[in-house]
Amino acid sequence: MAADSSLIDTPVASAAAAAGDPTWSRAIELDRLRASGRATVKVGAKQLAFFLHEGAVHACNNRCPHEGYPLVEAALDDGCLLTCHWHNWKFDLKTGANHYGGDSLRIYPVKVESGVVWVDARDAPAEARVAQALQQLDAAMDDHDTPRIARELARLGRAGAVPEIALAHAIGRSHEHLRYGMTHAYAGAEVWLRLRDTLADPSQRLACASEALSHIAYDTLREPSFAFALQAAERWDGAAFLAAVEAQDEARAASLLVAALNDGLGFADLEPALAAAALAHYSDFGHALIYLGHVGGLVARLGAEAQRPLLLAWLRMLIYATREDLLPDFRHYAAALAQWPTRTAGQGDAQGADIDVAALVGRSVRDTLAATIAAAAHATPLQLHHALMQAAAMHLLRFDVAVEQRTENPVADNVGWLDFSHALTFGHALRLQCARQPALWPQGLLQMALFVGRNTPYLAADDAAMPALQRWAVADAEAFDAQCQTTVLDHGMALYIHAVHLLKTWAAVRGEIALSVPDGTAQALRAAVNRLFSARFKQRHLLRMAHQAIGFVARED
């Protein structure tokens, strides 16, 4: 067939072009295209738009990659710039580049022979499509463009890739942009993907992956890089690492971690020292230990290449973590730890004695510590753990919501739902850790006692006619879990921090119950989650913030 010399016959290349020799499909007669300058044609399963511009034929997907508006209706200017009328997105029709900054437009090679337009509508090789989706996902995350994040993850899935690839990539490029180290974004990602594993519906599975990546994007949005300043290489030494963390020497602690990884050590080898560091203080509301468990889960899921960024981000969080056991409110912790019985039940005994949970509910920090020490002499660590988990659940059931709603609280009383839910997620993380490192039970159980005691001032009186445990009791555990799943998958919350706490608290309680707990503990835990899921989270405190700012400034001089 002879070429039509009235046209510039140069196939258009794009990042998504198929590799190898073209496979041409008959698309449209040139005369028909000349009649209007544009046309839509179905080629295989694809609907393509064809344009005739200054003697050259161009082909692209007919659906705008933003929200699907038919591009055959778009405006084409003299510079070959295609403008979608729906949201004013603009594409270079020669390359597919998006001048708006969003998703690129898929362009297809064309040729004209003997008055017929032919198109190569093949998909690019999977490897190229994955690479392009990851590149475009980077741009979407840099803008915290959540709909685009979902679209790029969907494109990644269509190319045959799993979201773990995107998550490992995102962690690698984001971990140095977390100024104070690991946040709930990484921790939540591990739980979101565990939930995804249990789902079959494509929309639900994509929702889990999208929320995980979007949270990371939010926490690193427009943040510069805070590089780790590594020192001269040392061999891994657990004691030296603990000393560096205690001295809040990030450079040395990070250097020791990196040296360990370079020597071929993995998370399992380092975990004993990491867990000891996490529990060396009552640190930052339990985040140190909670996050460590999620780091282990992510390393197992994502592979060895994720270890370095995850461990460095976790370490930085630990270096900056508050050491709340040094505050006056918790000054009795060190003395309680020193009084821990040297021989507790379970060390030679078949089982310990039962614990009166009521002795742990509604007591001060000091009294809760004392009750925990007393119980440790005759109960096994696991029995004591069950009792403290039940006490923490009872406290969540009795949280006085007026405390959160008030606008004239002093800063010290800025207490909300997360103050109570953290006791449950910390407790579950502790149980998992102590299954591998039983020597950590004393620190962990006493820190659980601190959680329980610190929340006592914010409890409402229990209603004698309808106690909180009865009011929020769960009759059907399976139906309740299904409802929790529905809620977290379509939570509708503006702030990631609240949604991820719903997910993580529910997952921790489910995990705790699955490990086996007494019936009373299971009932209290489910009831506590039921109340938490029914709560109205006050996501911003505008008046309270203003009241506290005025009071602070008035006193600072």
Side-chain angles (χ1 to χ4, degrees):
M1 293 184 290
D4 191 324
S5 60
S6 66
L7 293 167
I8 302 173
D9 184 17
T10 52
V12 178
S14 77
D21 295 332
T23 299
W24 298 108
S25 298
R26 185 185 183 101
I28 188 172
E29 289 74 20
L30 182 59
D31 287 343
R32 180 184 161 200
L33 183 59
R34 280 189 176 129
S36 62
R38 59 186 63 202
T40 57
V41 178
K42 189 170 183 180
V43 179
K46 296 182 173 69
Q47 188 184 67
L48 307 184
F50 289 80
F51 297 87
L52 182 60
H53 180 263
E54 296 183 348
V57 176
H58 303 275
C60 65
N61 278 345
N62 187 42
R63 296 296 175 185
C64 177
H66 180 210
E67 292 186 357
Y69 189 82
L71 290 177
V72 75
E73 304 292 338
L76 184 62
D77 67 12
D78 292 341
C80 209
L81 196 67
L82 190 67
T83 298
C84 177
H85 295 308
W86 204 348
H87 296 103
N88 208 38
W89 279 31
K90 300 178 185 298
F91 305 95
D92 185 332
L93 196 51
K94 296 177 182 178
T95 66
N98 187 333
H99 288 220
Y100 189 89
D103 316 43
S104 61
L105 177 63
R106 174 75 189 274
I107 302 297
Y108 296 89
V110 296
K111 70 175 183 178
V112 178
E113 291 183 346
S114 301
V116 176
V117 177
W118 298 76
V119 64
D120 182 5
R122 292 175 302 156
D123 286 329
E127 183 178 348
R129 292 161 62 199
V130 168
Q132 184 179 35
L134 288 175
Q135 182 181 26
Q136 296 187 159
L137 182 61
D138 288 348
M141 293 185 68
D142 287 344
D143 287 339
H144 186 228
D145 185 341
T146 55
R148 187 182 179 192
I149 289 171
R151 292 195 298 272
E152 298 300 352
L153 284 170
R155 290 171 183 137
L156 197 67
R158 282 186 64 85
V162 293
E164 282 82 354
I165 293 175
L167 180 57
H169 179 74
I171 289 171
R173 71 186 296 267
S174 68
H175 73 285
E176 289 193 340
H177 294 268
L178 294 167
R179 177 67 182 89
Y180 300 107
M182 183 173 172
T183 69
H184 279 289
Y186 287 0
E190 192 268 332
V191 190
W192 279 116
L193 291 192
R194 271 197 282 128
L195 176 59
R196 181 182 181 274
D197 292 340
T198 69
L199 303 171
D201 180 82
S203 295
Q204 293 179 336
R205 290 170 61 82
L206 180 58
C208 292
S210 299
E211 184 77 353
L213 273 292
S214 296
H215 194 168
I216 294 172
Y218 178 82
D219 280 5
T220 56
L221 183 64
R222 289 187 287 275
E223 291 287 346
S225 177
F226 302 95
F228 287 86
L230 301 178
Q231 298 176 343
E234 295 184 61
R235 298 301 298 271
W236 168 254
D237 182 291
F241 175 78
L242 290 170
V245 171
E246 186 64 26
Q248 298 178 318
D249 185 347
E250 177 184 283
R252 188 178 185 212
S255 299
L256 287 163
L257 268 183
V258 171
L261 297 177
N262 289 342
D263 284 344
L265 298 181
F267 179 84
D269 303 304
L270 305 176
E271 185 182 14
L274 303 179
L279 287 174
H281 291 278
Y282 180 41
S283 294
D284 199 23
F285 236 50
H287 284 117
L289 187 69
I290 295 168
Y291 286 178
L292 184 63
H294 295 304
V295 167
L298 285 171
V299 169
R301 178 182 288 270
L302 304 180
E305 69 176 279
Q307 286 187 125
R308 175 170 170 150
L310 284 167
L311 286 173
L312 287 175
W314 177 84
L315 171 65
R316 176 167 281 172
M317 176 278 306
L318 183 60
I319 293 293
Y320 282 103
T322 55
R323 298 176 174 188
E324 297 181 33
D325 55 306
L326 304 181
L327 296 174
D329 288 352
F330 309 112
R331 63 185 179 276
H332 301 293
Y333 168 75
L337 185 57
Q339 296 168 19
W340 191 265
T342 55
R343 182 183 183 280
T344 59
Q347 297 174 342
D349 299 327
Q351 63 182 32
D354 292 338
I355 299 173
D356 180 11
V357 176
L360 300 169
V361 174
R363 306 302 175 93
S364 68
V365 168
R366 184 172 186 175
D367 288 347
T368 308
L369 287 172
T372 302
I373 287 291
H378 60 78
T380 67
L382 192 55
Q383 284 177 309
L384 187 47
H385 179 267
H386 294 330
L388 286 165
M389 285 290 278
Q390 187 170 338
M394 295 302 299
H395 278 197
L396 193 155
L397 285 166
R398 289 177 50 193
F399 172 46
D400 185 354
V401 293
V403 173
E404 185 186 45
Q405 300 299 318
R406 285 200 300 257
T407 60
E408 297 184 356
N409 288 353
V411 174
D413 289 339
N414 286 354
V415 173
W417 291 102
L418 307 189
D419 296 78
F420 286 78
S421 67
H422 261 262
L424 301 179
T425 51
F426 175 82
H428 181 56
L430 178 70
R431 181 174 181 178
L432 294 175
Q433 197 67 49
C434 288
R436 296 185 292 276
Q437 293 174 257
L440 295 177
W441 273 123
Q443 297 97 309
L445 291 170
L446 288 174
Q447 289 178 30
M448 287 183 71
L450 295 182
F451 269 110
V452 172
R454 75 183 298 167
N455 288 329
T456 290
Y458 309 107
L459 303 181
D462 210 0
D463 185 344
M466 177 66 77
L469 180 59
Q470 181 180 345
R471 185 181 311 116
W472 296 103
V474 172
D476 186 331
E478 186 175 344
F480 174 66
D481 280 335
Q483 182 56 51
C484 288
Q485 176 179 293
T486 298
T487 299
V488 298
L489 286 172
D490 197 25
H491 56 75
M493 293 181 174
L495 299 181
Y496 292 99
I497 192 68
H498 297 294
V500 80
H501 273 86
L502 285 182
L503 172 69
K504 290 175 72 225
T505 306
W506 170 52
V509 164
R510 287 187 74 191
E512 187 67 21
I513 293 172
L515 290 174
S516 183
V517 297
D519 289 343
T521 302
Q523 292 168 11
L525 289 172
R526 287 196 184 98
V529 173
N530 190 18
R531 191 187 183 204
L532 182 68
F533 270 65
S534 301
R536 174 187 174 271
F537 286 89
K538 190 171 184 178
Q539 300 191 35
R540 296 185 65 208
H541 296 269
L542 183 60
L543 279 176
R544 187 174 79 184
M545 176 185 65
H547 169 78
Q548 292 173 354
I550 290 171
F552 180 84
V553 171
R555 292 189 300 272
E556 68 181 351
D557 294 328

